[in-house]
Structure formats: structure tokens, C-alpha cells
Amino acid sequence: MAYTGGTNGYAAGAETNTSAVDYALETTYNQPPTGAYQALRYTDCSLAVNETESQPDEINDIPEMAQSVLTGRTTQGSISGILSVGTFEDMLAGVLGNDWVNVNLVSTGDASGTSTFMYQPDDNIGGNAGCWDIVLTNNTVAALGIPPAGLLVLNDTNINANNLCIPYRVKGNAILVPMGSIPNTSKDTVAKSGATMTFNGITNGKIGKTFTFRKALSGKWDLYSGTMINQVQITLQKQQPATISIDLVGSDMAVSDTDNAASVTPRTTTPLIDTVEGFLGCSIFGNAPSGCIQSATITLSRDGSGQDTGMGHVGACGVRFGSFKATMEITYLFRDYQQFTDWAAGKTGLVTVGVQGSDGVGYQFAVLNGIIRNPKTPISGKNQTVVATVSITANPVPGGGTFSIARISN
């Protein structure tokens, strides 16, 4: 006779496989929402309570410390995962302080069309002769909701533009782009019928976002409220999947016996991104390093952030988001001095690295106005190839905008 059924009571404790983590944007700081939560794909979660206490040393005839007094509580930790499109976009929006946008213009090829655009030198409107404009012929930047700076994706067969990712900034009702970024254009060229200009991504801004994170354990829920995204680090390493690590700082943690979520949206199912088939290249001031890229590390953080406390409650009563800061470190096999020459000349400009999943959808990460700092070519040992390292500091472009991410589809 065959055995059927299972065994009860075999687990020594709660299993990590059943410890789901989800989150929701707070509409009011430090108040856990009761609406929809988003389940998160992750590999590690260390978010936990961090308490401070005072234990006075009262004078008495027994040499022992007096009773401790709880003086403060925060929640701190990190969530790590494998990068995939859509999965961590709320966290990226949190550290960037903005919302993702998706604006797609399709040209009719006729200057009178509502979404048509045309190309012209910027000096046509009294600007910089070294730049080009993409001019909206019958619409406004404000009405379309185009961000003031970032990356755009251009498709126009008339000028051999195929998924061309270009940095831009808004100037009046024109999209200002660097000279040479639009190929085969002449003055006042109208985009071909069917040509598209897409703004699908995010650039750092000034929107404050805090979240409630929930961790399900043994039929209860740990609620981590008032949580800000303090830092995000994206690591692209040769022969490895792309990874992301998110540092969190929150106000308080409570254990709930009841499920406060109206619903939980399932985890994303987009392909995990690797750096072999999924690597889309790296460019520093318009030039790809001549040696193969070994790694790229992107760090997005809130410099000077902090929490405010007051009497009457143990957790934080407010948060300061500080100033956005971005850096990128790139290592590559050293073959020539191109990047070192750029460093010596104090050159600045666009620095990008791109990755995608097996479905052809991915991200282009861009420092909009970077400068090289601390180039290195260490000699690591005998019979080794020299690996160069350049650190990129991100500076804002005129009018604001430091770092941008574009969703791309090939």
C-alpha cells in the first residue's frame, strides 16, 4: 500500500519561502495605507528595528546600572534583488524623488499635425550654435508633461535614427539636444510620418515619497512605516545577473494580527537581467572604452537626509530627504588613454550604461553631466591584464537634472 499525505510539525520555525514582503506608497507620512500593496521579488531583506536607550548610573550601594529608558526607535536595513524591468521602479522613484512618465509622440509628417516635430539648429531661436532643437510644431511641452531634462528615444528612418537614445533639456517649447546626436539632419527638417519621439523614464526631481513595507511572518504582519529610500546601488558585473540593493530608513515598526491591505498585486514576472546577453554597452562622453567593460556600479543617494524626532512619541515625526546625489564607477580592460585624456582635459558630458532582459526590454542609465574623477590603472600581479577604473561624479545640467533612466525596447 502506497503512503499518501504529508507530515505535520516538521518545521523548526517560519520558513523564508513563505515570508512575503510587499509595500505601498504612503499618502500621509508614517500611516500604513489600507489600499493595494505590491508584492516584491527579492533575495534578501534585513529591515529591522533599531532602538536607542539611556541607562543612568544612579548612585546606590549596589554597583549596578539603573533601569534603562527607551529614548528612540527607527527602522533600518536593506532589500536586495536581481534587476528586472518594473520590479524596483517605485524604489528608484523614491530615491530620485520623481514619478515615471511615458509620453509618446507620433509624427504625421505635416507641420500642422498636433504631435509633429521638426529639427533645427538652436541658433534659429537665438541660442547655442553648437546644439540642435527638436521643435514641437503644434503642441507645448507643458501640455504633454515632458520632464525638463532626461533621455528621449528617437525613431525616424529619414535620418537613420533607430531607437536612438539622446540626452535633452527643455528650452521653451523646444527639446534641446547636443550637436551631432541627430544624424543626417538639415535645417527645419520635419520628422517623417510615423517617426516617434518617446519620453519613457524618470529624471531626479523634488517629490517626497515614503512607504510602508510589510513582512508576513507566522500569520502576522510586521509593518515598517514612514520608510524613505535612502540609497539605491545597482551593480553590473561581468558574467553575473544585474543586482540592486536598496537602503531603507523608517520611523517605526508594529506587529499586526490583521491584514491591513485591501489587495496585494502579484510580483512582477519580467525576465531577470544579465550582463552577457543583456548588456547594451557603455559610453563615456560619446566614446565607448576600447577595452571590454568589467563592471559598472551606479549609486543613487540622498545626501544630508535625516529624521526629526520630538517628545511624546518614540519614532520619527518627520523626514528630511536631503539632496540627490549620483555617482558611477566603471572598470574596463585598459587599452588606450581616451578616458584619461578626457579626465586631464576636465571634459564633462553624458555617461551611459544599458542593460535589457531576454524580451528586449530594459533600461538605459545616464549621468547627464558627468566628470571623471580618480582614474586608476593598478598593476595587480604577474600575467594579468590591466584593469582601469574611472569614477564619474554627476553634476546637474543647466536648469536642473542630474541622473536619468530611460525604459528601452529593442
Side-chain angles (χ1 to χ4, degrees):
M1 179 178 178
Y3 290 109
T4 61
T7 301
N8 295 321
Y10 65 85
E15 293 187 352
T16 57
N17 294 341
T18 62
S19 303
V21 173
D22 54 41
Y23 67 94
L25 177 68
E26 294 177 344
T27 55
T28 302
Y29 172 71
N30 207 27
Q31 294 186 15
T34 56
Y37 279 69
Q38 172 66 56
L40 189 62
R41 296 161 70 180
Y42 70 103
T43 57
D44 178 79
C45 178
S46 64
L47 191 58
V49 169
N50 181 30
E51 294 183 329
T52 58
E53 63 178 356
S54 175
Q55 196 169 10
D57 194 6
E58 291 183 318
I59 298 174
N60 53 54
D61 60 352
I62 301 176
E64 60 187 6
M65 299 299 293
Q67 176 185 344
S68 70
V69 177
L70 180 65
T71 57
R73 179 187 295 136
T74 61
T75 58
Q76 296 179 350
S78 65
I79 291 177
S80 301
I82 309 300
L83 190 64
S84 56
V85 171
T87 303
F88 300 100
E89 290 186 358
D90 287 327
M91 274 91 260
L92 290 166
V95 75
L96 287 165
N98 215 340
D99 292 325
W100 292 79
V101 300
N102 187 2
V103 179
N104 188 46
L105 303 180
V106 181
S107 175
T108 63
D110 178 357
S112 63
T114 58
S115 61
T116 300
F117 46 94
M118 64 185 295
Y119 316 105
Q120 67 179 30
D122 190 57
D123 57 357
N124 275 20
I125 53 176
N128 185 347
C131 297
W132 277 81
D133 291 315
I134 305 177
V135 180
L136 307 179
T137 59
N138 199 23
N139 216 322
T140 67
V141 168
L144 293 170
I146 296 173
L151 296 174
L152 64 87
V153 177
L154 182 65
N155 285 278
D156 188 345
T157 57
N158 265 6
I159 60 170
N160 297 325
N162 180 26
N163 281 329
L164 191 61
C165 200
I166 309 172
Y168 77 90
R169 61 184 175 91
V170 169
K171 178 182 178 183
N173 202 39
I175 311 300
L176 189 66
V177 299
M179 176 67 79
S181 60
I182 304 175
N184 305 324
T185 51
S186 58
K187 180 179 177 181
D188 299 336
T189 301
V190 177
K192 181 183 178 180
S193 176
T196 61
M197 182 167 57
T198 304
F199 305 84
N200 187 357
I202 187 170
T203 301
N204 62 289
K206 54 184 178 182
I207 300 175
K209 296 173 181 279
T210 63
F211 300 84
T212 291
F213 283 82
R214 305 192 316 163
K215 181 168 64 178
L217 283 175
S218 298
K220 299 181 186 292
W221 288 264
D222 295 348
L223 305 180
Y224 298 88
S225 59
T227 305
M228 69 170 291
I229 314 300
N230 199 46
Q231 178 175 289
V232 173
Q233 187 168 84
I234 298 168
T235 301
L236 311 177
Q237 183 80 30
K238 67 174 183 177
Q239 299 178 325
Q240 297 292 328
T243 61
I244 184 169
S245 180
I246 302 154
D247 290 343
L248 308 170
V249 177
S251 174
D252 209 348
M253 190 273 272
V255 178
S256 175
D257 293 327
T258 58
D259 186 351
N260 66 307
S263 63
V264 176
T265 304
R267 297 178 180 91
T268 59
T269 58
T270 48
L272 300 178
I273 293 174
D274 69 77
T275 60
V276 182
E277 297 294 332
F279 184 57
L280 297 177
C282 172
S283 175
I284 303 175
F285 311 148
N287 298 304
S290 59
C292 285
I293 303 297
Q294 302 294 285
S295 68
T297 302
I298 301 163
T299 304
L300 312 174
S301 59
R302 306 299 311 189
D303 188 61
S305 65
Q307 294 179 312
D308 292 318
T309 58
M311 291 190 291
H313 44 86
V314 68
C317 57
V319 66
R320 290 173 278 111
F321 287 99
S323 300
F324 176 73
K325 180 179 180 181
T327 61
M328 188 184 297
E329 184 174 274
I330 299 167
T331 64
Y332 57 94
L333 300 180
F334 181 79
R335 298 185 70 175
D336 62 38
Y337 274 96
Q338 174 69 57
Q339 284 69 47
F340 284 73
T341 302
D342 290 343
W343 160 74
K347 190 173 181 178
T348 62
L350 181 71
V351 180
T352 66
V353 62
V355 287
Q356 67 180 9
S358 59
D359 58 354
V361 181
Y363 296 117
Q364 190 77 246
F365 302 102
V367 172
L368 298 178
N369 185 25
I371 187 168
I372 295 174
R373 302 294 190 195
N374 303 310
K376 297 179 178 64
T377 51
I379 305 301
S380 56
K382 186 178 180 181
N383 300 324
Q384 301 295 315
T385 302
V386 175
V387 176
T389 300
V390 290
S391 299
I392 309 296
T393 296
N395 295 316
V397 296
T402 298
F403 189 87
S404 188
I405 307 171
R407 295 191 194 101
I408 53 177
S409 180
N410 294 320

